Amino acid sequence: MARGTNFKATSSGDYPNMKVKHIRIFAAICIASGIVSILLQFVAILMVIANNEYSNNFPSDNIGCGIWAGVLYLIAGSLGVAVTKTKKKRLLVAVVVISSLSIFASIVTFILSSGVAIFGGYSSCLWRFGYTICDAWLGLEWTIVTCSILALISSIALLILASGSLCTCCRKHEMRDPFSYIEATNVGERMAHRQLQFDDDL
């Protein structure tokens, strides 16, 4: 009977093979990357507003890619933490979906921020504003790029871990425990045998 009970508990969605510790680590990195990315992008946008005539040379700041990407990092990380506590299938699916969006957002942010920092942005900035503003701006851009790399790695890890938990659970739902099946068969046979004995006595 104990074996049948264990199978029932596993089938209820407990996800015993979920790598809780790993998910929490990568979720925490996503959350931290999201917070830093949002804050730094706000500062970069304020610098653009303060120097309005130069704003067209900062395409990554104009569209605020660090903000909307950071929001996705935060959501992915928060869902990752939540799923380790509740272990619900809907949250696992949400982690897979939002992590996929975070991967896309991190790639776009990396391309835009690193592109404007490398290809002419800094030299053009120096020509107008000098080292103080331009060094600060360049540091912001490269830090946002670093956050996007960390978020990319962590989002991929969350996607793999959440997908693995879902696939493992699905396989266990499809499998039948042979011991519980044999046990149920033996019980049925004993009950049928007793019924025959009862009929013979009558």
Side-chain angles (χ1 to χ4, degrees):
M1 294 299 291
R3 287 170 178 166
T5 304
N6 290 337
F7 171 69
K8 183 178 180 180
T10 303
S11 301
S12 63
D14 288 337
Y15 303 101
N17 293 327
M18 178 185 291
K19 300 184 182 300
V20 173
K21 183 178 180 180
H22 295 81
I23 291 177
R24 287 179 178 173
I25 291 173
F26 289 113
I29 296 174
C30 278
I31 292 173
S33 299
I35 293 173
V36 174
S37 180
I38 292 172
L39 291 177
L40 294 182
Q41 188 66 81
F42 267 121
V43 174
I45 289 175
L46 290 176
M47 292 180 65
V48 169
I49 294 174
N51 303 278
N52 192 38
E53 61 172 321
Y54 190 64
S55 62
N56 290 332
N57 290 335
F58 295 99
S60 59
D61 298 331
N62 291 337
I63 65 175
C65 59
I67 295 175
W68 53 263
V71 171
L72 286 173
Y73 307 158
L74 271 174
I75 297 174
S78 300
L79 289 173
V81 173
V83 79
T84 59
K85 296 181 179 180
T86 60
K87 296 185 179 180
K88 292 182 179 180
K89 183 178 180 181
R90 285 179 293 181
L91 282 178
L92 274 173
V93 174
V95 170
V96 171
V97 174
I98 301 300
S99 295
S100 301
L101 294 176
S102 295
I103 292 171
F104 172 76
S106 62
I107 293 173
V108 173
T109 302
F110 173 83
I111 294 173
L112 292 177
S113 294
S114 62
V116 73
I118 294 173
F119 299 109
Y122 184 72
S123 59
S124 302
C125 180
L126 283 177
W127 182 71
R128 294 187 180 218
F129 301 107
Y131 286 99
T132 302
I133 293 177
C134 295
D135 286 346
W137 169 80
L138 189 65
L140 291 174
E141 293 297 329
W142 282 118
T143 307
I144 292 173
V145 169
T146 303
C147 290
S148 69
I149 294 174
L150 292 174
L152 174 63
I153 297 171
S154 301
S155 297
I156 291 175
L158 284 178
L159 176 62
I160 294 173
L161 292 170
S163 301
S165 298
L166 280 173
C167 293
T168 301
C169 181
C170 291
R171 286 196 298 268
K172 288 188 176 181
H173 274 286
E174 293 173 358
M175 293 172 60
R176 296 192 63 182
D177 188 353
F179 295 104
S180 62
Y181 175 78
I182 293 172
E183 186 174 346
T185 303
N186 292 336
V187 171
E189 290 177 353
R190 287 197 297 269
M191 291 180 65
H193 181 68
R194 291 177 182 176
Q195 184 64 37
L196 289 174
Q197 288 181 338
F198 179 75
D199 293 340
D200 291 340
D201 294 337
L202 291 178

